[in-house]
Amino acid sequence: MSDQIKGADLLLCLPRKEIATEDFISLAKELMLFKPHAITANRPVRHFRRLGRRVYFEILRQNLEEDAVFESKAHFGYGGGLTFRAYPGTDTIAVELWNGSDCDFDAVRGIVQRFVQTHPVICGTLRTVKESLWNRYGSYIVNGVNYSLKSCTNEHPELPQIRLDSSGNIDNTQFAGYGTSFCGVWFGCSYEMWFGKAYDKYIPYALLTSFTDCKQHETLTNGNVHIVMYDAPDAFKSKESLRRAWRWRAHTDYISLSAEWQKRLEKT
């Protein structure tokens, strides 16, 4: 499996005060499974290639110890990379990894599985880049032709008609595996997911622990709920996977709850 599946889309939302700085640094070092070509941060940065990986980790350490709000990213390819981010008015750290081709999916999965066994999490999602792209579409329109719609129609035969939003863009909420995040907190469905007790603020913890219509469901010794939704990372298109994804949406009502949370954030 690991020789065939490349690329990962990872989001972890972690409680900042409950995890030591060095544990964040260790996680960053493990997730650096690619050779970055540059970094961006809210601190002065020289060219990454010249100074080496250690600069990213030192900047991240300073961010964690001194900055209430920050974003540090090691870039890989077009739009990809590893990002640690703290949002205004929150006490969380969002860890995002997007790598379309270079890193081994199973390697990322193993790193996250070890981490959540020993550290508290708010939530986490992991899926292949192919699954991620299959559940979200941008807007690519040239000379009046909506090429995004054409692509989406071909890739989603399970939908009799592709719904557009009020702006004429593809409405991503119509896909079984739709997901979204606000200030690092994730709502959605993916191949593998983790939820801590603190996620009860967003979706009742009892709903998470009671869902069993999936490949694997367990509550870890530290209280983190671990769910593997599909039979394999690349099985997200199967009828059974789609059925499970829709069942998860109905069970948690995460579409409505994410909209409520977004409204709360907009008011603050």
Side-chain angles (χ1 to χ4, degrees), residues 9 11 18 41 63 65 77 123 167 177-178 182 193 220 240 254:
D9 179 12
L11 170 62
E18 298 179 46
N63 286 148
E65 293 177 348
C123 57
S167 300
Y178 168 75
F182 304 104
M193 299 178 286
L220 307 178
E240 177 63 8
Y254 73 79

Side-chain angles (χ1 to χ4, degrees), residues 59-151:
I59 289 175
L60 178 58
R61 179 179 284 105
Q62 291 180 36
N63 286 148
L64 291 164
E65 293 177 348
E66 301 175 15
D67 301 327
V69 178
F70 69 85
E71 176 179 303
S72 294
K73 180 172 182 177
H75 296 266
F76 169 80
Y78 180 74
L82 174 64
T83 306
F84 278 69
R85 182 183 289 115
Y87 294 89
T90 68
D91 192 30
T92 60
I93 299 294
V95 182
E96 301 173 39
L97 175 67
W98 173 274
N99 192 317
S101 61
D102 193 53
C103 68
D104 188 307
F105 179 85
D106 284 350
V108 176
R109 188 182 183 206
I111 293 166
V112 179
Q113 286 182 336
R114 290 192 299 273
F115 185 85
V116 299
Q117 290 276 355
T118 55
H119 295 83
V121 301
I122 297 173
C123 57
T125 168
L126 174 64
R127 52 186 168 183
T128 65
V129 166
K130 288 183 178 180
E131 180 186 351
S132 180
L133 294 175
W134 196 68
N135 285 289
R136 63 181 181 189
Y137 290 80
S139 180
Y140 182 56
I141 301 175
V142 179
N143 296 327
V145 179
N146 191 330
Y147 289 96
S148 298
L149 181 58
K150 281 191 170 186
S151 174

Side-chain angles (χ1 to χ4, degrees), residues 28-29 31-40 47-57 73-77 80-83 97 99 102:
K29 289 180 177 179
L31 289 174
M32 192 74 78
L33 294 168
F34 55 92
K35 186 176 180 180
H37 61 77
I39 64 171
T40 55
H47 199 277
F48 193 89
R49 192 182 305 163
R50 178 181 175 186
L51 296 177
R53 293 188 178 193
R54 63 181 177 82
V55 174
Y56 177 79
F57 305 128
K73 180 172 182 177
H75 296 266
F76 169 80
L82 174 64
T83 306
L97 175 67
N99 192 317
D102 193 53

Side-chain angles (χ1 to χ4, degrees), residues 250-268:
H251 181 81
T252 60
D253 192 26
Y254 73 79
I255 296 290
S256 297
L257 294 177
S258 65
E260 290 179 11
W261 181 246
Q262 184 180 17
K263 289 179 182 178
R264 273 191 246 172
L265 290 176
E266 290 173 351
K267 289 181 180 179
T268 59

Side-chain angles (χ1 to χ4, degrees), residues 158-176:
E158 81 280 5
L159 297 176
Q161 184 176 359
I162 304 301
R163 186 173 65 247
L164 304 180
D165 62 21
S166 59
S167 300
N169 301 315
I170 293 171
D171 182 359
N172 289 321
T173 63
Q174 68 194 297
F175 306 124

Side-chain angles (χ1 to χ4, degrees), residues 181-223:
S181 62
F182 304 104
C183 294
V185 179
W186 184 79
F187 300 84
C189 182
S190 67
Y191 167 70
E192 192 158 13
M193 299 178 286
W194 298 266
F195 303 95
K197 291 181 178 179
Y199 196 71
D200 185 74
K201 178 179 179 181
Y202 312 99
I203 293 178
Y205 185 74
L207 288 179
L208 307 174
T209 57
S210 63
F211 185 82
T212 58
D213 191 3
C214 52
K215 179 184 178 182
Q216 182 181 351
H217 179 285
E218 61 179 335
T219 301
L220 307 178
T221 56
N222 59 6

